[in-house]
Amino acid sequence: MSNKDENDGEHGGDEGFSKEYLVLRPDGGRFWELPHLLFSHNVDNNKFVDCSEGMKMHGVRNRWVLVLSLILQKILLCLAKPAHWLGLIMETFINLVFNFDNFSKFFVGLFHGKLIIPDKSAANFTSIIGITDTRLELDKNIRSGDCRYHGSLSAMAAKLAYENEGLVKDSVTNKWKMEFINFYDFWNDYQDEASTQAFMFQDKKDDPELVVVAFRGTQPFYFDAWITDIDVSWYHLMGIGKLHVGFMKALGLQKGLGWPHDLKQPENDKRMFAYYTLREKLKDILSKNEKAKVIVTGHSLGGALATMFTTVLAFHKEDWLLKRIEGVYTFGQPRVGDEKIGEFVKEQLRVNGVKYFRFVYCNDIVPRVPFDNKSTLFKHFGTCLYFNGLYQGKVVEEEPNKNYFNPAKAMFMMLNACFELIRSFFIGYVMGPEYSENWFMRLVRLLTVFIIPGVSAHFPQDYVNISRLASSSLYYMPDQNE
């Protein structure tokens, strides 16, 4: 029995909807078996790869990308459980401290036995992401009508998506003075639990003019999501191009079926899948409000899901709904597909008048994965707003150092990370108190200087900043207004 045959059952017969595919399996073999993949072009006969029969990949340099992705995935798999518990302990401890004004009061409470374990569903419980940037208010200087408004609102919504339902609802309702619609825990048909989160809100209760869908991104200690980001697996989708396997699964890809236009579930199956649930909810809201427009947004993995959502809408020829989308705003988004998919989506967005802005801050590592080379074929597309460490923005086709792991750029990235750490102590005095950084964000910046400099650049802190400081001229591109 071939390696491919052994894996068909495990992957649910996915080749039934995709005749061409390549899926990496980090649990398929042991570390010392990786050289076989590196030095043999017959990738279809390898324990680490599930792919179309007869697939070959020539060139060690091309196969090295697969090997590197597998090595990183195997490391993260080994660290996933310890990281989960570390994150849970850190999050709980910091929220305990935050319930007191300072450390001294915390230790007094500890001595007197007055500590209460915080409720993770409470409106005052903050995620690790929320702890690094505690801002919950919208920028009062950027109001509706300002060309920066949708980008600034999207950045805050993408950041807020990391929080629990209680905090999300409280922020939207009481701080933003808008109408909260729902918070969702979506299922992944390839996992046994809900793994994708998103929330919806609109600018006002009656006759809304704007509806926002915000997807949650990659959480720092949730290594399963990091594994998805660095995975280079893909399916070829019905002749229109190759799409990232992990992102499709997170959005609601159906095992063995792919993307049926209408999802038929048994009456006793109450699972919600992101794409299908959000599509029908938007149709319901927009059918009752003729003037309402939609924004789809997300940070990191959330940005990939936002882009993937509009891609599947275009695949299903949902033109009526696409025409109601004002824009897709993503922050630190990884690549989602190949060049062919990019051209297909760009044309669909252009025809339907949908704006697409992809924000990238400086040396952020995530927009530079999965790798862009001849073997993986992953490409970015659309308008990229790139900002350097001084928050100066420009429109580019591709962010500099597109694959990140460039030894020639390593020293520069480390020096820039040092600059960002130093800047964190002074930015509040220079830009205003709302830009001040707390001790936890500074600790993150300090640690990543010596580990992976591009990690601290990925946190929402800098993306909220650039969305507020971006020049108005960046939003007026000819290709966005045809």
Side-chain angles (χ1 to χ4, degrees), residues 145-337:
D146 188 320
C147 65
R148 300 171 298 165
Y149 177 71
H150 289 162
S152 180
L153 175 63
S154 296
M156 287 298 292
K159 184 175 86 76
L160 188 61
Y162 286 97
E163 308 303 330
N164 65 63
E165 181 177 358
L167 180 52
V168 169
K169 184 175 182 179
D170 179 70
S171 298
V172 170
T173 304
N174 298 321
K175 291 184 171 60
W176 300 1
K177 306 302 180 183
M178 297 184 185
E179 184 70 15
F180 175 79
I181 297 175
N182 210 343
F183 183 95
Y184 299 96
D185 270 315
F186 293 118
W187 283 84
N188 181 328
D189 206 25
Y190 293 76
Q191 297 179 358
D192 295 326
E193 59 183 11
S195 60
T196 301
Q197 289 74 33
F199 75 97
M200 292 180 65
F201 66 96
Q202 56 194 41
D203 57 352
K204 49 189 176 182
K205 183 176 182 179
D206 299 317
D207 300 321
E209 298 177 4
L210 186 67
V211 181
V212 179
V213 177
F215 289 93
R216 178 179 291 179
T218 310
Q219 300 177 81
F221 293 94
Y222 186 54
F223 281 10
D224 285 346
W226 285 97
I227 289 171
T228 297
D229 286 341
I230 63 174
D231 193 0
V232 294
S233 302
W234 51 263
Y235 289 133
H236 191 278
L237 188 61
M238 296 295 288
I240 67 171
K242 298 179 176 69
L243 277 169
H244 190 283
V245 167
F247 301 150
M248 284 202 287
K249 290 178 178 179
L251 191 65
L253 183 75
Q254 297 299 294
K255 188 181 295 185
L257 297 174
W259 290 111
H261 186 277
D262 298 308
L263 181 61
K264 298 178 181 179
Q265 294 176 262
E267 290 186 6
N268 61 345
D269 186 354
K270 303 301 181 183
R271 295 177 302 166
M272 293 187 296
F273 297 96
Y275 169 75
Y276 295 100
T277 301
L278 294 173
R279 184 187 69 178
E280 298 311 308
K281 183 65 177 178
L282 285 174
K283 284 183 177 180
D284 179 58
I285 294 173
L286 297 176
S287 66
K288 301 173 183 175
N289 301 276
E290 295 182 358
K291 296 181 180 179
K293 286 285 192 175
V294 177
I295 281 178
V296 188
T297 187
H299 168 262
S300 188
L301 169 62
L305 296 179
T307 303
M308 191 75 73
F309 179 73
T310 53
T311 300
V312 182
L313 285 178
F315 174 64
H316 283 158
K317 304 185 186 306
E318 293 282 358
D319 292 344
W320 179 83
L321 184 50
L322 280 172
K323 290 182 187 298
R324 302 293 295 273
I325 297 179
E326 186 278 335
V328 180
Y329 296 79
T330 71
F331 305 88
Q333 170 208 319
R335 299 180 178 102
V336 301

Side-chain angles (χ1 to χ4, degrees), residues 95 98-99 118-119 121-126 164 166-167:
N95 274 275
F98 273 26
N99 285 336
D119 180 1
S121 63
N124 63 347
F125 188 93
T126 309
N164 65 63
L167 180 52

Side-chain angles (χ1 to χ4, degrees), residues 271-445:
R271 295 177 302 166
M272 293 187 296
F273 297 96
Y275 169 75
Y276 295 100
T277 301
L278 294 173
R279 184 187 69 178
E280 298 311 308
K281 183 65 177 178
L282 285 174
K283 284 183 177 180
D284 179 58
I285 294 173
L286 297 176
S287 66
K288 301 173 183 175
N289 301 276
E290 295 182 358
K291 296 181 180 179
K293 286 285 192 175
V294 177
I295 281 178
V296 188
T297 187
H299 168 262
S300 188
L301 169 62
L305 296 179
T307 303
M308 191 75 73
F309 179 73
T310 53
T311 300
V312 182
L313 285 178
F315 174 64
H316 283 158
K317 304 185 186 306
E318 293 282 358
D319 292 344
W320 179 83
L321 184 50
L322 280 172
K323 290 182 187 298
R324 302 293 295 273
I325 297 179
E326 186 278 335
V328 180
Y329 296 79
T330 71
F331 305 88
Q333 170 208 319
R335 299 180 178 102
V336 301
D338 68 358
E339 187 172 10
K340 192 174 181 181
I341 279 285
E343 292 301 320
F344 168 76
V345 176
K346 277 197 301 183
E347 177 62 16
Q348 292 299 311
L349 296 183
R350 186 192 67 80
V351 169
N352 290 289
V354 181
K355 297 176 182 177
Y356 175 54
F357 290 104
R358 183 172 61 85
F359 289 77
V360 176
Y361 170 69
C362 203
N363 294 316
D364 183 354
I365 185 174
V366 174
R368 294 164 168 94
V369 296
F371 305 113
D372 174 358
N373 77 347
K374 293 180 181 179
S375 64
T376 63
L377 305 176
F378 284 98
K379 300 284 184 182
H380 275 308
F381 60 88
T383 303
C384 175
L385 305 186
Y386 173 77
F387 294 78
N388 62 22
L390 297 174
Y391 296 139
Q392 297 168 335
K394 61 180 179 179
V395 178
V396 296
E397 290 186 9
E398 182 72 74
E399 57 273 7
N401 190 23
K402 67 177 183 178
N403 283 330
Y404 187 81
F405 293 102
N406 184 344
K409 302 286 186 180
M411 182 57 69
F412 169 76
M413 290 191 291
M414 187 172 292
L415 289 173
N416 191 81
C418 290
F419 163 73
E420 291 169 337
L421 174 61
I422 296 170
R423 183 190 65 193
S424 69
F425 290 92
F426 301 101
I427 190 171
Y429 299 102
V430 178
M431 307 301 299
E434 67 271 25
Y435 293 93
S436 295
E437 297 188 14
N438 59 30
W439 63 269
F440 191 72
M441 187 65 212
R442 291 170 187 161
L443 179 61
V444 170
R445 293 196 188 279

